[in-house]
């Protein structure tokens, strides 16, 4: 049944320009992914009548995958399927596919297509927490992936879970959970971006308080998650239950190839290791080593801000301030630190690149010449390390009162000159260690180092960081292996 639906969908994809589908954030699920998602449900609690929701149904691939599995359940006598879809281009195909399924399943299936905006239709009940709202036994979805303006109708309709300009996918996920019956399950394929950061905090607070994650599937490779589509979005599949009971563990599976689920790694991770901290970040380990990293890090309860420091983004967007940039130190220009200046743990300046000085009195582009730890904001996915840092000591640039930083690097502020230099070295031990690099990769699937997330990372106390810095200074070795050695001894002693 599902194969026929996918064949028709592929014909639609080939005849509908991607630019047109992108207007709706429309990416179609592959056959293998749809079947895998349908298999994730626990059907042991189903009754003879089952009500199913697929919001943003597209051509009906996910709905049909679920119907295909439900058709094999002897206890299920009647299936009521509700599909929301407001893209006029695909509605006729959706109807055709569901009629085909109904022809096969006969009186067992009744379906309804609501040609409405799911968010605007259901958000009224959501905002008033109307428990008499329509509820479902099973919710499945591949919601639209599309950023919308904060003034958009959908964003205003669900302001309780929005911060800034939201993405439609997490509005669908929030409503999907709301539309579940108590103890019922939803399975969604969504981007990974919601798992951390301030941008999604309101959504996480709602989603992880009203429901509980029970399973997560990760794709090690980003390609071919969506058949016939060129999508490099970091995606994941989540299964959540609408319940207040927290499970002991979360099942985390991962597959190397987007469409091959036959070879999976399987972990059962303590719930509070995955969902942790006051920001309710969702940490996604893929092996036992990463679980151990999380457990080690979560023993520490300090953060950079709690110790009087903070990671910030570099101040100068060079191409927007080009008139202030210079090739030399003339006209009272000061160093402008770029990623190219961060070399093997130290700041090497100058490096004879163009425009590595800036001459300006604009306060927003200048910072005091103090001790800093610099960290690159962007790295390539294939690079060995995500966290690439370098020590900056003010005494090495004693001719300058101020410096500036290009916005493709981050810097840890608050390491004033009156504090010991060993604090900078101690921070370098942390950020250049394998432990912290693995932790950040678990925390954030992208190649960008986000200062907001770094400021939530656990760190040891100030005295311990300084002591680690002293050992690094004595060793005069800035290698990753030396940082690992120093941090490992600290962890063993504590």
């Amino acid at each position: 049944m599902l194969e026929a639906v996918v064949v028709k969908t592929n014909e639609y994809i080939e005849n509908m320009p991607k630019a047109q589908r992108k207007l709706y954030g429309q990416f179609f699920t592959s056959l293998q992914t749809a079947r895998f998602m349908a298999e994730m449900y626990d059907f042991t609690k189903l009754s003879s009548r089952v009500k199913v929701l697929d919001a943003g149904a597209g051509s009906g691939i996910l709905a049909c995958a679920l119907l295909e599995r439900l058709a094999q359940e002897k206890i299920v006598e009647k299936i009521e399927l509700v599909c929301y879809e407001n893209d006029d281009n695909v509605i006729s195909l959706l109807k055709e596919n569901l009629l085909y399924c109904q022809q096969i399943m006969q009186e067992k299936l009744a379906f309804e297509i609501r040609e409405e905006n799911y968010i605007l239709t259901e958000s009224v009940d959501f905002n008033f927490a109307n428990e008499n709202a329509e509820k479902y036994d099973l919710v499945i979805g591949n919601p639209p992936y599309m950023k919308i303006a904060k003034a958009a109708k959908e964003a205003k309709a669900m302001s309780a879970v929005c911060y800034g300009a939201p993405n439609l996918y997490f509005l669908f996920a929030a409503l999907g959970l709301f539309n579940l019956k108590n103890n019922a399950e939803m399975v969604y394929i969504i981007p990974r971006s919601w798992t951390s950061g301030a941008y999604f905090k309101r959504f996480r607070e709602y989603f992880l308080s009203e429901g509980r994650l029970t399973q997560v599937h990760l794709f090690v490779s980003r390609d071919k998650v969506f058949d016939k589509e060129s999508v490099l979005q970091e995606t994941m599949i989540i299964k959540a239950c609408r319940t207040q009971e927290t499970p002991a563990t979360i099942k985390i599976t991962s597959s190397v190839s987007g469409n091959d689920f036959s070879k999976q790694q399987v972990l059962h991770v303590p719930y509070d290791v995955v969902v942790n901290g006051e920001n309710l970040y969702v940490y996604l380990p893929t092996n036992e080593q990463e679980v151990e990293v999380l457990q080690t890090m979560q023993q520490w309860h300090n953060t950079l801000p709690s110790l009087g420091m903070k990671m910030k983004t570099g101040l100068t967007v060079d191409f927007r301030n080009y008139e202030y940039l210079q090739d030399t130190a003339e006209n009272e220009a000061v160093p402008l630190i770029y990623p190219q200046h961060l070399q093997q743990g130290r700041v090497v300046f100058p490096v004879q690149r163009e425009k590595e000085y800036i001459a300006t009195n604009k306060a927003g582009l200048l910072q005091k010449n103090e001790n800093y730890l610099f960290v690159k904001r962007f790295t390539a996915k294939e690079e060995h390390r995500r966290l690439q840092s370098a020590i900056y000591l003010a005494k090495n640039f004693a001719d300058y009162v101020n410096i500036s930083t290009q916005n493709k690097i981050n810097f840890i502020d608050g390491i004033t000159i009156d504090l010991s230099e060993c604090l900078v070295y101690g921070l370098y031990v942390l950020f250049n260690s394998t432990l912290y690099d693995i932790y950040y990769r678990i925390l954030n699937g992208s190649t960008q180092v986000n200062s907001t997330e770094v400021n939530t990372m656990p760190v040891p106390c100030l005295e311990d960081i300084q002591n680690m810095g002293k050992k690094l200074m004595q060793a005069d070795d800035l290698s990753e292996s030396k940082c690992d050695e120093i941090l490992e001894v600290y962890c063993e002693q504590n």
Side-chain angles (χ1 to χ4, degrees):
M1 189 164 71
L2 184 59
E3 279 89 344
V5 170
V6 170
V7 167
K8 293 175 183 177
T9 301
N10 289 340
E11 291 173 357
Y12 168 83
I13 291 172
E14 290 166 4
N15 291 302
M16 180 61 64
K18 185 176 179 180
Q20 181 68 27
R21 291 185 285 111
K22 196 172 180 180
L23 295 174
Y24 292 87
Q26 190 180 77
F27 300 99
F28 292 97
T29 319
S30 70
L31 182 148
Q32 296 91 336
T33 302
R35 280 211 172 116
F36 178 77
M37 290 172 67
E39 288 294 327
M40 289 175 72
Y41 290 94
D42 176 8
F43 282 176
T44 58
K45 297 179 182 178
L46 291 182
S47 62
S48 59
R49 300 183 69 88
V50 178
K51 193 165 186 178
V52 178
L53 171 66
D54 183 356
S59 65
I61 290 175
L62 282 176
C64 292
L66 193 48
L67 291 175
E68 189 177 64
R69 187 178 168 208
L70 285 168
Q72 301 169 15
E73 296 295 314
K74 293 181 180 179
I75 192 174
V76 177
E77 298 174 359
K78 188 70 176 180
I79 303 166
E80 298 175 44
L81 171 66
V82 175
C83 290
Y84 280 86
E85 184 52 65
N86 65 340
D87 177 2
D88 293 336
N89 295 309
V90 78
I91 285 175
S92 61
L93 175 59
L94 175 61
K95 288 179 179 177
E96 181 183 349
N97 286 336
L98 294 184
L99 284 170
Y100 169 73
C101 293
Q102 191 177 54
Q103 185 179 15
I104 294 174
M105 299 179 69
Q106 298 180 358
E107 70 276 358
K108 193 170 187 176
L109 173 64
F111 71 85
E112 176 187 358
I113 298 175
R114 298 178 183 174
E115 300 178 27
E116 304 168 7
N117 184 313
Y118 173 61
I119 302 297
L120 299 183
T121 301
E122 296 294 328
S123 59
V124 175
D125 286 333
F126 174 83
N127 288 322
F128 287 98
N130 180 13
E131 286 303 317
N132 293 319
E134 197 168 9
K135 300 290 182 176
Y136 298 84
D137 300 288
L138 303 169
V139 172
I140 196 165
N142 173 10
Y145 303 174
M146 186 169 66
K147 199 168 184 178
I148 58 175
K150 60 184 177 181
K153 292 182 291 184
E154 293 86 354
K156 289 183 175 180
M158 296 193 65
S159 58
V161 295
C162 290
Y163 176 83
N167 195 301
L168 279 176
Y169 83 79
F170 75 78
L171 301 186
F172 272 73
L175 272 182
L177 184 71
F178 173 76
N179 283 137
L180 278 175
K181 295 178 180 177
N182 289 331
N183 299 311
E185 294 178 335
M186 67 181 288
V187 175
Y188 258 45
I189 181 168
I190 55 177
R192 179 173 166 160
S193 51
W194 69 278
T195 58
S196 63
Y199 185 79
F200 297 94
K201 184 179 179 181
R202 290 183 185 175
F203 166 68
R204 287 195 304 273
E205 287 174 341
Y206 171 78
F207 196 81
L208 298 171
S209 61
E210 293 297 313
R212 299 292 186 271
L213 286 176
T214 57
Q215 183 177 348
V216 173
H217 183 81
L218 305 174
F219 298 96
V220 177
S221 173
R222 293 181 294 179
D223 66 345
K224 297 184 180 179
V225 175
F226 298 99
D227 211 11
K228 302 290 184 181
E229 305 278 16
S230 298
V231 180
L232 290 180
Q233 176 69 261
E234 293 276 1
T235 52
M236 62 192 297
I237 300 171
I238 59 169
K239 180 170 79 166
C241 180
R242 190 166 192 213
T243 180
Q244 297 298 301
E245 294 184 17
T246 301
T249 62
I250 294 178
K251 182 180 180 181
I252 299 181
T253 56
S254 56
S255 55
V256 174
S257 175
N259 277 341
D260 183 6
F261 297 92
S262 60
K263 297 179 182 179
Q264 298 179 49
Q265 290 182 313
V266 181
L267 286 174
H268 293 274
V269 186
Y271 193 91
D272 60 359
V273 170
V274 177
V275 180
N276 189 278
E278 63 181 34
N279 292 299
L280 290 177
Y281 281 7
V282 177
Y283 299 86
L284 300 168
T286 59
N287 54 54
E288 293 292 348
Q289 181 196 17
E290 292 181 352
V291 174
E292 291 175 7
V293 165
L294 290 174
Q295 291 173 326
T296 298
M297 295 282 290
Q298 290 170 1
Q299 294 176 27
W300 302 327
H301 303 293
N302 297 298
T303 61
L304 291 176
S306 75
L307 298 180
M309 296 174 283
K310 192 174 185 180
M311 178 166 278
K312 299 179 180 178
T313 300
L315 306 180
T316 299
V317 180
D318 50 351
F319 67 87
R320 291 180 183 166
N321 295 280
Y322 194 79
E323 69 269 29
Y324 304 120
L325 305 186
Q326 297 182 179
D327 293 326
T328 66
E330 297 175 354
N331 303 318
E332 299 183 347
V334 301
L336 173 59
I337 308 300
Y338 284 84
Q340 294 93 322
H341 294 120
L342 279 55
Q343 299 181 20
Q344 296 181 319
R346 302 187 187 278
V347 174
V348 178
F349 186 94
V351 292
Q352 282 70 54
R353 62 154 285 151
E354 293 182 346
K355 310 298 182 184
E356 56 188 342
Y357 292 88
I358 183 168
T360 179
N361 57 4
K362 292 177 69 173
L365 300 181
L366 299 176
Q367 59 200 84
K368 289 182 180 180
N369 181 23
E370 295 183 332
N371 297 330
Y372 296 102
L373 185 76
F374 291 138
V375 180
K376 290 183 181 181
R377 279 186 68 201
F378 300 97
T379 56
K381 192 167 182 67
E382 62 275 6
E383 286 191 75
H384 168 61
R385 292 189 58 84
R386 184 72 69 246
L387 298 179
Q388 299 184 20
S389 55
I391 293 167
Y392 175 93
L393 299 179
K395 68 181 184 182
N396 296 334
F397 297 84
D399 292 340
Y400 302 99
V401 175
N402 297 306
I403 62 168
S404 187
T405 43
Q406 196 233 14
N407 80 320
K408 289 185 180 177
I409 65 173
N410 293 319
F411 62 93
I412 296 180
D413 195 18
I415 315 170
T416 55
I417 294 175
D418 59 320
L419 287 172
S420 171
E421 289 179 5
C422 60
L423 178 57
V424 188
Y425 279 87
L427 290 170
Y428 179 83
V429 169
L430 301 182
F431 281 81
N432 196 50
S433 69
T434 303
L435 182 75
Y436 270 75
D437 194 68
I438 291 174
Y439 180 86
Y440 193 80
R441 286 173 183 270
I442 300 168
L443 174 63
N444 185 321
S446 77
T447 56
Q448 179 175 344
V449 177
N450 185 296
S451 58
T452 301
E453 293 172 345
V454 170
N455 287 324
T456 69
M457 290 169 63
V459 296
C461 69
L462 201 63
E463 182 181 357
D464 289 338
I465 297 174
Q466 289 178 314
N467 287 335
M468 284 187 273
K470 290 176 184 176
K471 291 180 180 178
L472 186 65
M473 293 172 74
Q474 292 167 358
D476 194 26
D477 177 0
L478 298 183
S479 67
E480 181 179 0
S481 60
K482 175 53 68 173
C483 293
D484 288 344
E485 178 187 321
I486 293 171
L487 186 55
E488 185 177 343
V489 170
Y490 167 79
C491 292
E492 288 174 353
Q493 294 174 346
N494 293 270

